[in-house]
Amino acid sequence: EIFMNYLDRYVSSALSKGVNLSRRSFQLVAVSSLYLSMKLHGEADDPKKMVKTIDMSTFVKLSRNIFPEETIEEMELDILFTLDWRMNPPTMARFITDFFELFPSRPPAVLIERSRYVAEMSVCVASLSIEQRPSVVAFSAILNAMDSMNMMSLQHEIYQVFLDNIERATSLSKKMSKIEEVRAMLNNMCPIPTDDVTISLEDSNDSFLSIYNHTLRTEHFASGKTSPVCVAEAHMSPPPLKRKRSDANNAREKK
C-alpha cells in the first residue's frame, strides 16, 4: 500500500509538470519506490521478531539487471525530494488498527485479518486506493468483514457501541452514502462468503485464525488460482531439492 502511494504520488507530480514518463522510467520509479517502502516500513509488527533485510542487489535482480545500484539510489533521492520527504502517509492498515482500539471488547483476530485482507485488495483498484480516503476504505472493509461473520456473542449492543465509538471519534457513519458506495465497490471486487461456523468472542485468537486460514485454503484450492511469489521469500529461500531418480530409470540408463 505504501509502495503504491509513493509510486502514484511521484507519477502524479510528473504529470502535473507535463512530464510523461517512459516505460523504462516508470519501471525505475516502481523499483525505487518498492525499495524505499521496504526500507522505511518493512519492520515487523512484533518488535521481538527478526526481519529479513533485503539489500540493494535484490532490487537490481528484480529489475533483471537493467538498473544498477547507483541508478536506483539516484531515483530514490529524486523520489524523496519530489514527495517533499513526506514518507509516512495514512494507510488503510493503520486506520484498521486504530479503529479496532475502539472495539468495546477484545476483537476477534479473524475479524481483523479479514478487514485487512479486503483493504489490501482495494490497492489494486484506482477508484478505491486513489479516489477514496484510506479511513473510508478501512471502515468499509471492517463493516463488510463483520457482516460476513456469524458471531454468536457479537450482540447488537456490542456492534452498535463499536459503530458509535467510531462515529464520535471520526464522524464516519455506516449510513453515510460514501460508506455505502465504497462497501458496494469492495463487495463487488472481493465478496466475502458468510461463515457456516458459529463462533464466539470468548474463543481464543488461535481458534479464529484457524477458522480463517481454513476458509482461505478452501477458497484458494476451489478457485484453482495460485498465490503470487513473494520476492523476499523467493530470494531468501533455498533452492528446491532435486528429485532422486528412481532405480528403474537408473537401470534403464545403464542399458
Side-chain angles (χ1 to χ4, degrees):
E1 183 182 352
I2 293 178
F3 150 65
M4 291 297 296
N5 181 279
Y6 293 170
L7 179 61
D8 289 337
R9 287 164 60 198
Y10 184 92
V11 173
S12 297
S13 176
L15 291 176
S16 67
K17 299 174 183 177
V19 178
N20 292 320
L21 298 177
S22 64
R23 178 179 297 182
R24 176 157 295 195
S25 296
F26 182 83
Q27 291 173 342
L28 176 58
V29 176
V31 171
S32 303
S33 297
L34 180 60
Y35 172 65
L36 255 176
S37 63
M38 294 190 69
K39 185 166 71 171
L40 297 178
H41 300 278
E43 72 279 0
D45 294 334
D46 187 350
K48 296 180 181 179
K49 292 183 179 179
M50 297 296 294
V51 181
K52 294 179 180 179
T53 58
I54 304 179
D55 56 26
M56 180 73 77
S57 62
T58 303
F59 295 89
V60 175
K61 294 178 182 178
L62 182 64
S63 70
R64 298 183 179 180
N65 296 313
I66 296 176
F67 307 118
E69 292 187 12
E70 297 77 13
T71 303
I72 296 177
E73 289 176 347
E74 290 175 1
M75 177 53 69
E76 175 190 7
L77 190 60
D78 187 21
I79 292 173
L80 288 170
F81 278 106
T82 300
L83 303 186
D84 199 22
W85 295 81
R86 296 181 178 179
M87 313 308 291
N88 296 283
T91 63
M92 291 175 280
R94 181 71 259 174
F95 275 112
I96 287 175
T97 300
D98 291 342
F99 285 157
F100 276 115
E101 292 292 328
L102 302 174
F103 207 80
S105 59
R106 185 181 182 184
V110 65
L111 177 58
I112 299 175
E113 292 301 319
R114 285 192 177 188
S115 303
R116 288 177 176 172
Y117 172 75
V118 175
E120 288 171 2
M121 292 296 292
S122 70
V123 175
C124 304
V125 183
S127 57
L128 289 169
S129 61
I130 297 177
E131 298 177 11
Q132 303 294 339
R133 292 184 299 168
S135 57
V136 171
V137 178
F139 183 48
S140 301
I142 291 174
L143 293 175
N144 283 10
M146 294 180 75
D147 286 351
S148 73
M149 298 179 64
N150 181 20
M151 291 186 289
M152 178 174 54
S153 295
L154 188 56
Q155 301 173 352
H156 176 73
E157 291 78 8
I158 297 177
Y159 184 77
Q160 192 59 48
V161 168
F162 179 51
L163 296 183
D164 291 343
N165 290 343
I166 291 180
E167 185 172 2
R168 281 194 297 269
T170 66
S171 299
L172 291 175
S173 171
K174 180 182 179 181
K175 298 180 181 179
M176 293 173 61
S177 59
K178 178 61 65 176
I179 297 296
E180 294 177 350
E181 175 187 349
V182 172
R183 289 191 65 187
M185 294 171 65
L186 288 173
N187 192 49
N188 290 334
M189 175 200 67
C190 183
I192 310 177
T194 303
D195 284 337
D196 294 329
V197 181
T198 301
I199 53 181
S200 156
L201 285 177
E202 285 74 21
D203 292 340
S204 66
N205 279 348
D206 290 339
S207 299
F208 286 105
L209 288 175
S210 63
I211 294 171
Y212 177 64
N213 290 332
H214 172 73
T215 303
L216 288 184
R217 285 196 300 270
T218 304
E219 294 172 359
H220 169 77
F221 289 115
S223 65
K225 298 179 179 179
T226 56
S227 175
V229 177
C230 173
V231 175
E233 292 179 357
H235 178 67
M236 298 294 181
S237 301
L241 296 176
K242 294 182 178 179
R243 291 184 177 179
K244 293 184 178 180
R245 313 188 104 183
S246 64
D247 294 337
N249 288 337
N250 291 334
R252 199 176 295 115
E253 287 186 359
K254 290 179 180 179
K255 292 179 180 181

